[in-house]
């Protein structure tokens, strides 16, 4: 795989994992009645921010694990 293509796959998969994880975190927060957009920084808002950050980070790590497994020899 060429270097440019490899960097493009890396960047796009990292971005996709981060965004999908963040959206899943937002949805989970909505299910738990955590209001991200409430006025001020109350406990509900802070919990929603933390949940979204954790899920976005987990999505990023999942994308990196997927990419590592995909690039292993013999996985095709």
């Amino acid at each position: 795989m060429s270097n440019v293509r490899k960097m493009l796959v890396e960047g796009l998969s990292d971005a996709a994992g981060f965004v999908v994880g963040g959206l899943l975190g937002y949805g989970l927060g909505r299910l738990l009645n955590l209001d991200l957009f409430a006025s001020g920084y109350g406990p509900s808002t802070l919990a929603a921010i933390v949940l979204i950050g954790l899920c976005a980070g987990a999505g990023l790590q999942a994308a990196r694990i997927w990419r590592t497994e995909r690039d292993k020899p013999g996985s095709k």
Side-chain angles (χ1 to χ4, degrees):
M1 184 182 307
S2 72
N3 195 28
V4 173
R5 180 176 163 89
K6 186 175 182 177
M7 290 187 332
L8 182 64
V9 168
E10 181 178 344
L12 290 176
S13 64
D14 280 355
F18 186 83
V19 169
V20 169
L23 289 172
L24 288 174
Y26 176 74
L28 183 59
R30 296 282 297 185
L31 287 174
L32 297 173
N33 282 334
L34 300 176
D35 190 6
L36 175 66
F37 299 111
S39 61
Y41 285 105
S44 173
T45 304
L46 292 176
I49 291 169
V50 169
L51 182 63
I52 291 169
L54 288 173
C55 289
L60 175 64
Q61 291 304 314
R64 290 182 176 175
I65 291 169
W66 168 79
R67 199 172 53 246
T68 300
E69 292 296 321
R70 180 178 164 263
D71 292 341
K72 279 186 180 177
S75 65
K76 295 179 181 181

